[in-house]
Amino acid sequence: MNKNWKQTFDIAEKPQRKILGLMSGTSLDGLDIALCVLEGSGRKTRARVSHFKTVPYTAEWRAAVKAIFSKRDADLQQVCLLNEQTGILHAEMILSALKEWGLQPEDVDLIASHGQTIFHAPRSLHGMPAYPNATLQIGDGDHIAMRTGIITLSDFRQKHLAAGGEGAPLAVYGDYLVFSKAGENRIMLNIGGIANFTFLPADEEASRVFSTDVGPGNTLMDQYMQQQFGRHYDEDGKVAGKGMANEQLLAALLDHSFFGAGLPKTTGPELFNLAYLEAAQLKTGTTGLSPEDVMATLSHFSARSIADAIKATGENELKIFMSGGGMHNNVLTSRLQAELPGASFFTTADLGIDPDAKEALLFAILANETMAGEPQPFSAGSGIPPVCMGKVSFPF
Ligand SMILES: Nc1ncnc2c1ncn2[C@@H]1O[C@H](COP(=O)(O)OP(=O)(O)OP(=O)(O)O)[C@@H](O)[C@H]1O
Ligand SMILES: CC(=O)N[C@H]1[C@@H]2OC[C@@H](O2)[C@@H](O)[C@@H]1O[C@H](C)C(=O)O
């Protein structure tokens, strides 16, 4: 047997695996690296994050990715170059994180790499019935495996598409295995560039579980902050906090077929971008609003769209566990709490998982399932195909 397969087989049989989960999200802020310790698989999975850091991207890399990110007329050569360069960059970031933690590549069993989404095109967004749901992540896993010497699983979303899904959200697979609790209706709410949540019913019935994107988390606020203030994001919601939400603009922002469509659904900055905001401002004659008022309106927009989707679960007694960068924005979270007076709010830290590490942990869980688990029995119409995901890259 080839040595790579033997090693893979041995890792699959281990009672405990150390998996380095990597997530680079739509905010393009940095690479989240979480060293996760996983025991068991399926509903018997026990997961903890032993080391975590976000390695910030350089302004140059961010600018290069932004030039192609969610753009229909992107330069194909740049896409091709960045696919390789991002893989190399992620490998280097991993090696320096391991060094900082006093660890060697041999201390890690596997890498689980999400890569960088550069375009997300479910049918609901591209609108062409002859084409399938599609999504594209760059940062090739072979570079990561060869440079680190660690077996790498990557490109998780393609299997989900192949099985009829939209390629996202994948959070449901990890949330159900690790955070479901009998007797509690839980919402696992991640407020990243795009906001999404998983509903975990109190009866833990897999057929009732679902996961969905709900609209912009931070992406519109971030894009507007970058355009108006040259800052990556509105730290602690300070700018939005100084403004007043405009009801006409808010109503126009909420007036899109995406919000009326049934759950589950996915989206991205391909829809929620500055052109979307400008169209709503033109429609309502609000182009003269102060940047602070626009930010306050965008903050309400994110809160309202998240709250409306959560209300659509029809459950009253909900425990909401937040994660993602948006949970640090007090203006946004206060608004959300005002929109959902019946719910109680927590973060995944209350469940022992650093909220900033949660998505990186998800990919470690997905890799763990591919190595040692079996597909879960989600219901046929839930948009959650019963699949194991990820492609394998060997170090030699
Ligand atoms: N202190 C803070 N105050 C306000 N906003 C913050 C703060 N810290 C982080 N954020 C927001 O969180 C964003 C990053 O969130 P996160 O890393 O969860 O997104 P992501 O993983 O890139 O997105 P996605 O989950 O959609 O792929 C920042 O761009 C910013 O908008
Ligand atoms: C295509 C893509 O990268 N989607 C991301 C994005 O960021 C948040 C939201 O949109 C979610 O659908 C997904 O990521 C998480 C990790 C998921 O698949 O669950």
Side-chain angles (χ1 to χ4, degrees):
M1 187 192 293
N2 174 288
K3 216 167 114 188
N4 284 310
W5 287 116
K6 170 83 174 80
Q7 195 185 344
T8 310
F9 184 86
D10 290 345
I11 294 168
E13 286 215 314
K14 280 183 154 186
Q16 184 192 80
R17 280 166 284 277
K18 293 202 177 88
I19 306 183
L20 202 63
L22 307 182
M23 177 64 189
S24 183
T26 55
S27 304
L28 307 178
D29 52 343
L31 177 68
D32 296 334
I33 307 182
L35 183 56
C36 309
V37 182
L38 287 129
E39 280 170 32
S41 63
R43 303 272 341 258
K44 296 209 171 91
T45 303
R46 287 178 53 203
R48 73 183 167 87
V49 177
S50 68
H51 299 73
F52 173 70
K53 73 177 295 190
T54 300
V55 186
Y57 287 126
T58 60
E60 290 74 28
W61 183 89
R62 204 181 274 168
V65 174
K66 264 192 180 172
I68 58 163
F69 182 69
S70 76
K71 299 224 171 13
R72 286 177 59 178
D73 57 358
D75 175 348
L76 257 184
Q77 171 173 279
Q78 193 65 5
V79 173
C80 182
L81 300 183
L82 279 169
N83 181 40
E84 316 301 334
Q85 196 199 36
T86 302
I88 295 167
L89 178 69
H90 286 182
E92 282 166 1
M93 288 171 159
I94 292 164
L95 290 173
S96 68
L98 290 178
K99 199 165 169 198
E100 187 182 315
W101 296 334
L103 297 171
Q104 303 297 324
E106 301 76 58
D107 298 323
V108 178
D109 291 311
L110 276 179
I111 291 171
S113 170
H114 171 263
Q116 176 63 52
T117 295
I118 55 162
F119 207 90
H120 186 60
R123 262 202 205 94
S124 61
L125 274 179
H126 66 63
M128 292 178 283
Y131 285 91
N133 291 321
T135 192
L136 188 60
Q137 285 71 45
I138 59 168
D140 197 84
D142 282 338
H143 285 293
I144 301 177
M146 283 213 68
R147 285 182 176 246
T148 61
I150 302 169
I151 295 172
T152 299
L153 267 65
S154 65
D155 213 12
F156 290 84
R157 300 193 188 275
Q158 297 304 322
K159 177 68 93 50
H160 194 266
L161 291 163
E166 292 194 4
L170 303 183
V172 64
Y173 296 91
D175 289 347
Y176 177 59
L177 298 185
V178 173
F179 298 120
S180 187
K181 182 157 185 236
E184 283 185 11
N185 284 315
R186 289 184 168 183
I187 294 281
M188 306 305 299
L189 171 64
N190 189 76
I191 314 178
I194 296 299
N196 66 321
F197 73 79
T198 302
F199 171 59
L200 300 170
D203 59 12
E204 295 196 280
E205 177 51 51
S207 63
R208 293 184 63 216
V209 172
F210 70 86
S211 189
T212 186
D213 283 354
V214 292
N218 306 297
T219 187
L220 265 178
M221 291 190 282
D222 283 0
Q223 291 175 56
Y224 190 73
M225 282 299 294
Q226 287 159 30
Q227 185 201 53
Q228 296 290 319
F229 298 93
R231 278 184 257 152
H232 185 65
Y233 64 89
D234 182 14
E235 198 179 350
D236 304 328
K238 281 183 200 127
V239 175
K242 285 189 202 129
M244 277 247 307
N246 179 290
E247 287 303 322
Q248 284 84 7
L249 179 57
L250 177 59
L253 289 166
L254 287 161
D255 184 19
H256 190 281
S257 56
F258 173 79
F259 296 108
L263 310 179
K265 54 194 169 188
T266 65
T267 191
E270 293 77 11
L271 173 63
F272 294 111
N273 51 37
L274 292 177
Y276 185 92
L277 170 62
E278 278 154 25
Q281 284 189 286
L282 283 173
K283 195 168 137 194
T284 51
T286 54
T287 46
L289 282 184
S290 72
E292 288 76 11
D293 288 352
V294 173
M295 281 299 290
T297 312
L298 291 176
S299 187
H300 277 226
F301 177 40
S302 294
R304 178 74 61 81
S305 49
I306 293 169
D308 285 350
I310 290 177
K311 282 179 193 160
T313 59
E315 298 287 348
N316 288 322
E317 283 193 21
L318 286 169
K319 286 193 171 184
I320 299 180
F321 292 89
M322 294 189 290
S323 60
M327 57 161 267
H328 303 296
N329 182 334
N330 297 329
V331 172
L332 175 61
T333 55
S334 305
R335 189 68 228 154
L336 189 58
Q337 295 187 19
E339 298 267 356
L340 293 165
S344 35
F345 284 78
F346 307 86
T347 78
T348 59
D350 297 300
L351 302 171
I353 298 296
D354 178 342
D356 294 320
K358 190 203 166 221
E359 285 192 335
L361 167 66
L362 162 68
F363 289 94
I365 296 171
L366 295 182
N368 190 58
E369 284 302 290
T370 299
M371 294 298 281
E374 297 292 339
Q376 293 297 312
F378 295 109
S379 83
S382 65
I384 321 171
V387 284
C388 291
M389 291 161 273
K391 297 170 185 167
V392 188
S393 290
F394 290 136
F396 57 88

